[in-house]
Amino acid sequence: MSQVSTAYDNFLTRVDAVLTGAAGWIKLPFAYDIEKNPEIYLRQGYALGIGAGVNTKRVLSSTLSISREFTLTIVRALDATDLEVTLRQSLEKQLFEDIKLVIADVERNSTLNVGQILCSYSGDSGIEYVDGETSEYVQLRANFLVEYFETI
């Protein structure tokens, strides 16, 4: 198995542990197209996608160092009308509270595989709106850099 598979599995295990500690979170089946997910999942869901990777040009004894972006998307139902500004703002801020739990976990323990895979938070998308068929949702995409060595 490649190190990217190990990194993905280990990162997702940590996200599962952090987010599912709070009730109601559902893993979304479509990480790359959030709007394709069933609306019931979008009420409070999350997904992990694997993004672009780059060769860091650090070769160590027939291994290659790769830095790859993982994107964690979290989404919540926007159960507020256009006129309920305070409630809308509270729901938006809750996404940042949710993602902070994952960021804190990563920054406290930046390895995903006994020191062989490093992970760090690199930024996020800010609040984005997702239109469902019957409801509206807010999402936040957080980016994490994952660095690992792959045997060549």
Side-chain angles (χ1 to χ4, degrees), residues 92-101 124 126-127 140:
E92 291 170 356
K93 290 187 294 186
Q94 185 59 50
L95 284 177
F96 288 103
E97 297 300 324
D98 298 332
I99 204 67
K100 179 182 178 268
L101 297 172
D124 62 62
I127 297 295
L140 178 65

Side-chain angles (χ1 to χ4, degrees), residues 126-146:
I127 297 295
E128 298 173 316
Y129 286 85
V130 177
D131 286 324
E133 289 183 26
T134 61
S135 299
E136 192 174 26
Y137 304 91
V138 287
Q139 75 176 9
L140 178 65
R141 289 177 290 140
N143 300 315
F144 296 85
L145 288 180
V146 176

Side-chain angles (χ1 to χ4, degrees), residues 13 19 40 55 88 94 144:
T13 297
L19 290 182
I40 190 72
N55 180 349
R88 291 175 78 84
Q94 185 59 50
F144 296 85

Side-chain angles (χ1 to χ4, degrees), residues 5 8 46 51 59 66 95 98 102 114 119-120 132 136 140:
S5 295
Y8 179 88
Y46 67 98
V59 178
I66 299 171
L95 284 177
D98 298 332
V102 177
V114 194
C119 181
S120 64
E136 192 174 26
L140 178 65

Side-chain angles (χ1 to χ4, degrees), residues 1-151:
M1 183 182 328
S2 71
Q3 286 291 79
V4 70
S5 295
T6 301
Y8 179 88
D9 293 344
N10 291 352
F11 189 81
L12 192 56
T13 297
R14 288 175 62 178
V15 170
D16 288 343
V18 170
L19 290 182
T20 57
W25 286 100
I26 297 174
K27 197 179 307 178
L28 302 173
F30 299 105
Y32 303 98
D33 190 356
I34 296 301
E35 293 176 1
K36 284 182 71 174
N37 289 288
E39 286 201 27
I40 190 72
Y41 289 11
L42 294 176
R43 295 203 57 73
Q44 190 172 327
Y46 67 98
L48 182 63
I50 301 173
V54 295
N55 180 349
T56 65
K57 306 285 187 198
R58 292 185 291 178
V59 178
L60 176 66
S61 179
S62 75
T63 60
L64 180 68
S65 175
I66 299 171
S67 180
R68 182 168 304 283
E69 187 174 88
F70 282 15
T71 301
L72 175 63
T73 304
I74 57 173
V75 62
R76 283 182 172 268
L78 187 57
D79 294 328
T81 67
D82 290 346
L83 299 177
E84 294 175 305
V85 176
T86 303
L87 181 55
R88 291 175 78 84
Q89 291 169 337
S90 294
L91 291 167
E92 291 170 356
K93 290 187 294 186
Q94 185 59 50
L95 284 177
F96 288 103
E97 297 300 324
D98 298 332
I99 204 67
K100 179 182 178 268
L101 297 172
V102 177
I103 293 168
D105 182 68
V106 165
E107 294 301 323
R108 277 194 300 270
N109 182 7
S110 62
T111 63
L112 294 176
N113 188 25
V114 194
Q116 296 175 10
I117 301 172
L118 299 177
C119 181
S120 64
Y121 169 73
S122 63
D124 62 62
S125 64
I127 297 295
E128 298 173 316
Y129 286 85
V130 177
D131 286 324
E133 289 183 26
T134 61
S135 299
E136 192 174 26
Y137 304 91
V138 287
Q139 75 176 9
L140 178 65
R141 289 177 290 140
N143 300 315
F144 296 85
L145 288 180
V146 176
E147 186 175 351
Y148 55 92
F149 285 96
E150 202 66 81
T151 304

